[in-house]
């Protein structure tokens, strides 16, 4: 809506939001011909979109009894008309967050599906070079708007379009958060402290509460001794330590940050038997390993300041070339872990993209340590990258 909304526009916005709130589908059908499914009422004390209003009006699902068909169909109608799945209200909630909080599971699932559709469409548009084009039509509008709310997780998701201002900022040396750009992060000063690795912008790069998760990744990827393994991203060395307990015949570590190389040196990793360290970005190292014909039985990926597109490139370009036909691939599944719906959406998007690249994915749910959320472990960090209860651990094998 224009900054200075006319009285007519405000009235239309109020009518659309009110119809959404009442789950009045016939009225919405008519009103959405005149106005957008993403209107905001600028005079309302709490800004809310029609989708937020429709879901909030469902109230709490008591004794598992969820809202009826009209509510569900209202949500579907708004989504079909381009309502943004991850729009935030003033309480910092997406419509899906409200559905989850109210126990409206069916509507929550519809919101997850909408998020998956929008993200897949958005990445297809990016691939076709249409990411920055003014989108036409409702579906495109939806895709173009999916960047409203990004998972502010350990691994930042930024699209190419958003990366442009970031790149400019990097050139001008004004980037306030180095985790928004891999090159800026790799040039930044790191701090190793007990139990935590921080970057220059106080982002937690790695924390030791993830030890059990790292050990389980190693176990699920390396079922016996004598295998050829690789880990990308050394960090605090937790997963590399776990991998070595499984006695690989060769273990490759790819790491790009000079201070992490220094740490690897200080801790004697260069002298460990069967360990081969590759200094540099995986983007530069892996093409050479492919050329040399390296084949691996287990590959693990856990980098930092890289987006989902980097992970997708990693498995669809390189894992498929480096992994033995019977091998296993795992990655740190942390995207969107500061918001349940983002985590659920990115987990599904990854599964779909992995399948397209030729992998089957099995998931194992691991409860994160209780009391992690809001604990003093996050003191001194820019923000907690993990606020949800369950880590979904992926194990990927080639489709048989
Ligand atoms: C989250 S930490 C890895 C933590 C590790 N799994 C552990 O158990 O301690 C991410 C690591 O990836 C490295 N990294 C970031 N971008 C990279 C890139 N493009 N290529 C290689 N390493 C990268 C970072 O310097 C950092 O050491």
């Amino acid at each position: 809506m224009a900054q200075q909304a006319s009285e007519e526009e405000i009235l239309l916005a109020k009518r659309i939001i009110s119809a959404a709130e009442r789950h009045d589908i016939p009225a919405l059908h008519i009103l959405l011909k005149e106005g957008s499914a993403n209107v905001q009422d600028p005079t309302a004390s709490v800004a809310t979109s029609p989708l937020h209003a429709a879901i909030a009006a469902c109230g709490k699902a008591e004794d598992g009894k969820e809202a009826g068909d009209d509510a569900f169909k209202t949500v579907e109608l708004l989504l079909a008309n381009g309502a943004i799945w991850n729009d935030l209200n003033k309480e910092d909630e997406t419509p899906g967050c409200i559905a989850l909080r109210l126990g409206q599971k069916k509507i929550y699932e519809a919101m997850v599906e909408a998020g998956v559709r929008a993200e897949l469409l958005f990445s297809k548009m990016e691939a076709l070079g249409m990411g920055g084009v003014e989108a036409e039509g409702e579906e495109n509008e939806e895709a173009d708007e999916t960047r409203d709310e990004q998972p502010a997780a350990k691994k930042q998701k930024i699209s190419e379009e958003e990366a442009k201002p970031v790149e400019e900022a990097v050139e001008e040396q004004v980037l306030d958060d180095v985790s928004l750009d891999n090159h800026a992060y790799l040039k930044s000063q790191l701090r190793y402290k007990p139990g935590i690795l921080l970057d220059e912008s106080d982002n937690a790069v790695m924390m030791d509460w993830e030890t059990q998760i790292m050990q389980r990744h190693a176990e699920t990827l390396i079922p016996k001794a004598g295998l050829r393994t690789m880990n990308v991203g050394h960090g605090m060395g937790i997963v590399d330590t776990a991998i070595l307990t499984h006695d690989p015949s060769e273990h490759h570590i790819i790491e790009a940050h000079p201070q992490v190389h220094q740490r690897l040196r200080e801790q004697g990793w260069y002298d460990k038997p069967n360990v081969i360290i590759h200094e540099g970005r995986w983007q530069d190292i892996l093409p050479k390993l492919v050329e040399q014909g390296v084949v691996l039985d287990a590959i693990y990926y856990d980098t930092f300041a890289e987006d989902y597109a980097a992970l997708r490139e990693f498995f669809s370009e390189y894992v498929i070339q480096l992994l033995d036909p019977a091998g296993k691939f795992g990655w740190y599944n942390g995207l969107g872990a500061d918001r349940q719906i983002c985590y659920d959406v990115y987990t599904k998007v990854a599964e779909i993209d992995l399948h397209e690249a030729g992998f089957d994915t099995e998931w194992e749910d691991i409860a994160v340590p209780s009391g992690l959320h809001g604990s003093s472990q996050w003191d001194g960090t820019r923000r907690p990258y993990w606020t949800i209860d369950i880590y979904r651990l992926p194990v990927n094998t080639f489709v048989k």
Side-chain angles (χ1 to χ4, degrees):
M1 184 176 290
Q3 255 184 339
Q4 291 290 319
S6 69
E7 268 181 40
E8 272 161 55
E9 283 170 326
I10 295 172
L11 187 63
L12 179 60
K14 281 183 192 291
R15 289 173 68 200
I16 293 175
I17 292 168
S18 163
E21 203 165 23
R22 286 179 282 112
H23 305 148
D24 185 342
I25 295 163
L28 266 180
H29 268 294
I30 296 164
L31 290 164
L32 289 174
K33 289 197 174 93
E34 293 172 50
S36 151
N38 292 307
V39 285
Q40 297 274 335
D41 175 0
T43 64
S45 55
V46 178
T48 188
S49 74
L51 207 44
H52 285 93
I55 297 175
C58 296
K60 204 156 178 61
E62 301 291 354
D63 305 323
K65 200 172 175 318
E66 297 182 26
D69 255 14
D70 282 355
F72 187 74
K73 284 184 181 150
T74 302
V75 168
E76 297 266 89
L77 178 62
L78 289 167
L79 288 170
N81 278 274
I84 302 166
W85 75 274
N86 55 357
D87 196 10
L88 288 174
N89 67 10
K90 282 240 172 75
E91 274 87 35
D92 194 43
E93 284 187 312
T94 69
C97 298
I98 299 178
L100 187 67
R101 175 165 57 73
L102 296 175
Q104 297 289 351
K105 289 189 195 148
K106 194 173 162 203
I107 291 179
Y108 179 74
E109 282 312 315
M111 291 309 306
V112 172
E113 291 306 323
V116 172
R117 278 197 307 273
E119 287 300 301
L120 289 174
L121 184 63
F122 175 59
S123 67
K124 285 267 179 301
M125 286 169 68
E126 289 253 297
L128 293 169
M130 293 163 67
V133 177
E134 189 63 32
E136 279 173 30
E138 292 147 1
E139 281 281 46
N140 289 355
E141 184 184 326
E142 182 186 348
D144 207 38
E145 297 286 359
T146 54
R147 289 157 285 168
D148 262 23
E149 205 280 325
Q150 295 298 329
K154 186 168 158 192
K155 318 299 181 300
Q156 294 284 334
K157 174 185 185 293
I158 48 170
S159 65
E160 276 169 35
E161 196 52 28
E162 285 163 323
K164 276 179 201 152
V166 172
E167 278 158 20
E168 281 157 23
V170 173
E171 277 160 27
E172 292 164 27
Q173 301 288 307
V174 291
L175 197 61
D176 163 56
D177 182 351
V178 295
S179 75
L180 293 174
D181 180 88
N182 193 246
H183 293 280
Y185 158 75
L186 292 172
K187 281 190 212 138
S188 84
Q189 283 293 314
L190 303 185
R191 276 162 299 149
Y192 278 98
K193 291 189 173 181
I196 189 166
L197 170 60
L198 292 153
D199 73 8
E200 197 170 295
S201 310
D202 294 329
N203 293 294
V205 176
M206 184 64 188
M207 292 168 82
D208 67 358
W209 66 263
E210 297 184 62
T211 300
Q212 188 212 344
I213 289 171
M214 294 296 139
Q215 288 171 342
R216 188 65 193 142
H217 269 298
E219 269 165 23
T220 54
L221 293 178
I222 314 164
K224 58 180 187 198
L227 296 182
R228 301 155 294 178
T229 62
M230 172 188 280
N231 169 45
V232 180
H234 179 72
M236 292 170 64
I238 301 174
V239 85
D240 286 311
T241 303
I243 289 172
L244 291 195
T245 65
H246 297 277
D247 296 324
S249 60
E250 56 186 88
H251 177 53
H252 299 258
I253 300 174
I254 302 183
E255 171 56 53
H257 200 291
Q259 277 176 272
V260 184
H261 301 152
Q262 178 63 24
R263 170 96 166 184
L264 278 156
R265 219 160 271 125
E266 283 163 11
Q267 299 200 331
W269 280 89
Y270 286 80
D271 307 320
K272 288 191 198 275
N274 305 335
V275 171
I276 307 142
I277 296 170
H278 305 268
E279 295 185 2
R281 299 178 77 229
W282 60 263
Q283 291 86 341
D284 300 323
I285 305 286
L286 292 182
K288 294 178 196 154
L289 298 188
V290 169
E291 218 177 274
Q292 289 164 21
V294 169
V295 177
L296 301 154
D297 301 299
I299 300 178
Y300 184 64
Y301 172 98
D302 179 12
T303 68
F304 185 75
E306 295 202 298
D307 60 8
Y308 173 69
L311 169 65
R312 195 179 54 222
E313 181 187 348
F314 183 84
F315 62 71
S316 55
E317 298 282 331
Y318 296 107
V319 178
I320 55 163
Q321 299 193 72
L322 291 163
L323 196 64
D324 183 271
K328 293 181 181 190
F329 162 58
W331 86 95
Y332 176 78
N333 184 23
L335 261 177
D338 62 341
R339 191 182 290 278
Q340 188 68 55
I341 187 155
C342 291
Y343 195 69
D344 292 342
V345 166
Y346 287 104
T347 296
K348 282 204 178 179
V349 167
E351 186 175 74
I352 291 167
D353 284 338
L354 276 154
H355 200 260
E356 200 166 302
F359 295 99
D360 272 335
T361 309
E362 277 187 21
W363 302 96
E364 183 176 309
D365 288 357
I366 299 180
V368 303
S370 63
L372 176 68
H373 188 41
S375 87
S376 60
Q377 289 190 57
W378 302 103
D379 290 356
T381 66
R382 193 179 181 100
R383 65 179 155 235
Y385 60 76
W386 199 282
T387 62
I388 60 176
D389 296 335
I390 301 289
Y391 177 83
R392 304 207 69 205
L393 182 147
V395 182
N396 303 277
T397 47
F398 284 115
V399 176
K400 294 272 179 310

